[in-house]
Amino acid sequence: AAWSVACAWLAAIPLRRGERWAGHAIWTSLLAWFPVDTAISAHLNVWPNVALNCGALAVTVAALAWAWPRQL
């Protein structure tokens, strides 16, 4: 839950202002969380969590791609 709150804050304030570091922080946290959590879940045959992780990743990547600051 704390990760979601941190990402929501990063998206709501600095990313909305166009500060690219916030997007990089979200991408980095995704790259740290997704492979580890998904691999462990798959190894332990917890397939509902694997599916949930994939869905969460897809939604987060789509939202981040949409909100990513554009160069003028």
Side-chain angles (χ1 to χ4, degrees), residues 12-47:
I13 298 174
L15 192 61
R16 185 180 289 175
R17 289 184 197 152
E19 298 177 27
R20 295 176 70 89
W21 68 266
H24 291 289
I26 295 171
W27 280 116
T28 302
S29 69
L30 284 173
L31 291 174
W33 157 77
F34 180 79
V36 174
D37 191 59
T38 305
I40 291 170
S41 295
H43 178 72
L44 296 174
N45 294 320
V46 185
W47 300 111

Side-chain angles (χ1 to χ4, degrees), residues 34-69:
F34 180 79
V36 174
D37 191 59
T38 305
I40 291 170
S41 295
H43 178 72
L44 296 174
N45 294 320
V46 185
W47 300 111
N49 193 57
V50 171
L52 181 68
N53 285 357
C54 290
L57 179 70
V59 168
T60 305
V61 166
L64 192 54
W66 176 77
W68 193 261

